[in-house]
Amino acid sequence: MCGIVGVLMKKPAAPVMLEALRRLEYRGYDSAGLATLAGGSLQRRRAAGRISALSQLLDSEPLAGTIGIGHTRWATHGAASQHNAHPHRSGPVVVVHNGIIENWRALRDELIAGGCVFESETDSEVIAHLCATLLARGLDPRRAAMETISRLVGAYALCLLFEGAEDMMICARRGSPLAIGYGEGEMFVGSDALALGPLTDRICYLADGDCAVLTRTGAEVFDASGAPVQRPIQTVPMEAVLVDKAGYRHFMAKEIHEQPTVAGYALARHLSADRRHVVSAAAAIDWRTLPRLSIAACGTAFYAAQVAKWWFETIARLPVDVEIASEFRYRQPPMTEGGATLVVSQSGETADTLAALRYARSAGQTVLGVVNVENSTIAREADMAIPIHAGPEIGVASTKAFTTQLIALACLAIHAARSRQAITPETAAALIDALSSAPRLIAEAIALEDQIAVAARDIAETESALFIGRGTMHALALEGALKLKELTYIHAEGHAAGELKHGSIALVDATRPIIALAPHDDLFEKTASNISEVAARGGRILLITDRNGAALAGAEAARTLVLPEVPDFIAPLVYAIPVQLLAYHAAVQRGTDVDQPRNLAKSVTVE
Ligand code: F6R
């Protein structure tokens, strides 16, 4: 987590860095800070809280200088306070850091024994002191920086500035991402291309272990062994870095409403022009002979994986293990020879998912990365990347990435099913037709927003809610509970509807809303029985179903939302909409920060 930026410019650095930090705020927003060099001397400003707090501070205490580094923090070591905010300084050195320095205690003890005085509780401050100590021993900034970096154990993307060096910045990465941007007589560094979007579209992604020395005219890059290397400079399409609310009150609202469009776009990329074949077919895998598939992911991406398990197993008859990425490698599961692993990640930077990828690879699996950010570490390390084509997702709560992950996974499942001859060409065509109707049906679900907002009022007033569903709706129930928790801070649980009677039904009373996700499918009768069991105990049910479901079970519910009738295969794509909108409107009504809920960050690059 954390976002970092560095600029070497011809014009004042602080306003440009502030804007870049705003674009990086999705990575963390506990505190923020900037440092510049003006007239050769270092200055810095830091503030607890959002970038807006730093901006206010800069209004009263501006920063001069055309070279600088900046940071927006997601706290790991030490509270979200001003003194823990980056940049950290030691004498003539300032540093911004994203990641975790695992040997920070040992380094800190050593540095304190040598006379260093620490002002923060962070792991990052050791970097500044270590580098300053080496400078004091007579090393030049380059050598001091390289030697400092060589002593760090853990994950880092960092930028260093040195007093008196108005045309030099040193940066490095291991485990955390870092991109260099090339301008005209100006150079930039950022955690991602998004940060550098308005500054340049010429981006070079550093490889793991790289270190770079930047001046205004270019960058020298060195690999982990210290050898000079050339990393390719890519042109990033402007639409990939556009960040705009387009008139919506929140990014999340905009991203929910974008779903019909991005779903249509994603389908156009995954399917042939005649809509008869899947073209994003993951050639790295021989689906005909694949014995077993694992899918590893975190949070919302994990729930997309749970839906995908249902699809792969039912239509492709392919056994699937779905793995919580943060648990996967520690369990060290034996992996089937010749097997494959999908890792699903919007950001492509989630540390646990990346570690799952590396574990699967070391266990001999072919690894596919299903990602939104196409230049992300996961996309680059996987044997093959399958983009989901959602476009930039800025709201911390994942919405359009979830539905487009589902589209990519559904396409893969159809392709696998055909390759394994588990379904006929006619069935595959019918499934593709169903998928092709998703943009329209998602739009019809979004059109019910006013009704959903009214239903959300009931939920906003409670402190606890239960979501229930069967089959793919179980995964949606888990997703609904996650969305509600993260956006409103209301306690929520998702349950397999049939599992409720094994204990959790004790929670049912007249105060706690129970949201039943129940399209009229093969499992409807079973879910309806579970709804009756809840109703018989005085439970307050919000039934989300279709016309037939409403006719059969609506009487049991306090309120019913009637969605369009949908082919079973794509029900998860359409039922995601009320789940997202319920949480969104409940959050708006409670006045919580929709786009940046407390304690969270969009890209979780720590374990
Ligand atoms: C919830 C949410 C998170 C992410 C999770 C994985 O709304 O967004 O649960 O899904 O942190 O992130 P990625 O997909 O970037 O690996």
Side-chain angles (χ1 to χ4, degrees):
M1 331 275 255
C2 303
I4 65 178
V5 64
V7 301
L8 298 98
M9 304 189 70
K10 299 173 189 160
K11 60 181 186 184
V16 173
M17 288 195 289
L18 201 62
E19 187 47 40
L21 288 185
R22 286 204 178 94
R23 298 164 73 83
L24 284 173
E25 208 172 9
Y26 77 90
R27 298 179 71 88
Y29 35 81
D30 289 334
S31 66
L34 299 179
T36 57
L37 269 171
S41 70
L42 285 170
Q43 307 179 25
R44 79 186 154 147
R45 305 283 183 268
R46 301 177 297 163
R50 309 280 156 116
I51 307 293
S52 51
L54 178 64
S55 173
Q56 277 170 18
L57 177 65
L58 287 165
D59 286 343
S60 54
E61 298 174 40
L63 267 186
T66 58
I67 176 171
I69 55 177
H71 188 270
T72 180
R73 177 167 187 247
W74 187 79
T76 57
H77 293 64
S81 61
Q82 195 231 10
H83 73 278
N84 284 328
H86 299 221
H88 290 290
R89 179 171 185 178
S90 178
V93 183
V94 275
V95 66
V96 289
H97 166 228
N98 165 34
I100 292 182
I101 305 301
E102 288 168 13
N103 60 337
W104 70 283
R105 279 181 204 284
L107 290 173
R108 187 176 164 111
D109 290 348
E110 174 190 319
L111 289 158
I112 289 175
C116 292
V117 178
F118 279 74
E119 66 162 17
S120 77
E121 290 98 48
T122 67
D123 53 329
S124 313
E125 194 181 347
V126 296
I127 305 168
H129 287 297
L130 189 53
C131 195
T133 305
L134 293 164
L135 285 175
R137 286 193 200 143
L139 271 63
D140 63 28
R142 236 177 220 252
R143 287 204 44 218
M146 306 284 180
E147 197 155 327
T148 299
I149 291 160
S150 74
R151 295 209 49 203
L152 303 178
V153 176
Y156 52 81
L158 59 85
C159 277
L160 290 156
L161 269 193
F162 302 87
E163 199 142 56
E166 292 264 4
D167 191 28
M168 184 181 68
M169 181 178 297
I170 298 183
C171 56
R173 68 152 291 201
R174 185 178 291 284
S176 303
L178 201 59
I180 295 179
Y182 289 74
E184 296 302 324
E186 298 184 323
M187 291 291 290
F188 314 99
V189 186
S191 293
D192 59 24
L194 209 60
L196 307 180
L199 303 170
T200 180
D201 61 353
R202 293 172 61 224
I203 301 287
C204 155
Y205 292 92
L206 292 184
D208 223 30
D210 278 359
C211 172
V213 181
L214 275 66
T215 64
R216 283 180 179 74
T217 51
E220 289 174 84
V221 182
F222 304 91
D223 68 11
S225 73
V229 279
Q230 300 287 334
R231 300 286 177 217
I233 300 173
Q234 310 172 16
T235 304
V236 176
M238 277 321 280
E239 62 271 17
V241 292
L242 283 179
V243 178
D244 176 17
K245 284 191 202 149
Y248 286 94
R249 187 166 162 200
H250 300 103
F251 279 111
M252 184 181 178
K254 175 189 167 225
E255 288 158 5
I256 290 173
H257 283 260
E258 275 174 356
Q259 289 177 103
T261 310
V262 292
Y265 180 71
L267 284 165
R269 301 298 293 266
H270 293 305
L271 299 174
S272 59
D274 60 3
R275 300 252 159 160
R276 302 194 56 147
H277 306 286
V278 174
V279 290
S280 57
I285 294 178
D286 182 352
W287 295 96
R288 282 170 310 151
T289 55
L290 187 69
R292 199 167 192 94
L293 180 70
S294 304
I295 315 182
C298 300
T300 290
F302 175 76
Y303 300 137
Q306 278 196 325
V307 173
K309 172 181 169 77
W310 188 274
W311 285 334
F312 277 110
E313 292 189 339
T314 54
I315 69 166
R317 309 306 300 155
L318 173 63
V320 174
D321 300 310
V322 181
E323 305 280 356
I324 294 176
S326 56
E327 296 286 327
F328 182 50
R329 67 189 178 287
Y330 297 117
R331 204 174 80 239
Q332 305 216 321
M335 310 284 301
T336 310
E337 206 184 317
T341 297
L342 298 186
V343 292
V344 185
S345 172
Q346 184 285 129
S347 62
E349 299 295 347
T350 300
D352 289 315
T353 313
L354 182 58
L357 177 158
R358 289 174 181 160
Y359 175 76
R361 160 79 56 66
S362 71
Q365 305 291 291
T366 304
V367 184
L368 297 189
V370 178
V371 295
N372 193 29
V373 181
E374 294 184 33
N375 277 306
S376 57
T377 311
I378 287 178
R380 282 179 279 132
E381 288 199 18
D383 293 309
M384 184 175 167
I386 301 189
I388 59 170
H389 305 292
E393 189 180 65
I394 306 299
V396 163
S398 194
T399 51
K400 62 175 181 168
F402 178 67
T403 41
T404 47
Q405 280 161 353
L406 289 179
I407 286 174
L409 292 165
C411 287
L412 276 183
I414 295 171
H415 176 77
R418 270 308 294 138
S419 307
R420 300 165 76 79
Q421 305 206 330
I423 55 173
T424 62
E426 292 71 30
T427 304
L431 293 175
I432 290 177
D433 281 350
L435 261 184
S436 300
S437 66
R440 174 177 53 82
L441 293 167
I442 289 173
E444 286 179 28
I446 292 175
L448 301 174
E449 180 162 11
D450 289 348
Q451 289 176 46
I452 299 172
V454 173
R457 263 185 231 147
D458 280 357
I459 295 175
E461 282 161 15
T462 63
E463 287 311 319
S464 175
L466 290 179
F467 288 75
I468 59 171
R470 281 176 181 258
T472 55
M473 290 300 122
H474 174 215
L476 265 291
L478 294 166
E479 168 63 0
L482 176 65
K483 282 283 159 295
L484 192 67
K485 278 183 281 203
E486 68 177 331
L487 289 167
T488 63
Y489 319 144
I490 294 171
H491 167 256
E493 289 180 24
H495 279 282
E499 186 66 10
L500 212 55
K501 57 187 173 292
H502 297 289
S504 303
I505 202 163
L507 291 171
V508 170
D509 63 20
T511 66
R512 184 178 287 100
I514 294 161
I515 298 114
L517 301 164
H520 188 252
D521 58 14
D522 290 351
L523 296 172
F524 179 80
E525 292 298 337
K526 303 285 175 200
T527 313
S529 302
N530 304 133
I531 290 170
S532 299
E533 289 153 16
V534 170
R537 287 158 181 84
R540 192 151 57 92
I541 296 161
L542 167 60
L543 174 63
I544 305 183
T545 183
D546 48 31
R547 197 162 41 92
N548 290 331
L552 290 166
E556 309 265 33
R559 188 188 296 276
T560 303
L561 285 171
V562 183
L563 295 189
E565 274 160 67
V566 297
D568 292 356
F569 184 55
I570 62 155
L573 284 155
V574 180
Y575 280 66
I577 303 303
V579 153
Q580 296 166 355
L581 284 171
L582 273 179
Y584 173 76
H585 284 287
V588 169
Q589 281 158 35
R590 282 171 79 99
T592 52
D593 190 334
V594 170
D595 282 333
Q596 295 177 331
R598 71 182 181 205
N599 304 338
L600 292 175
K602 180 91 185 141
S603 177
V604 187
T605 55
V606 294
E607 281 188 37

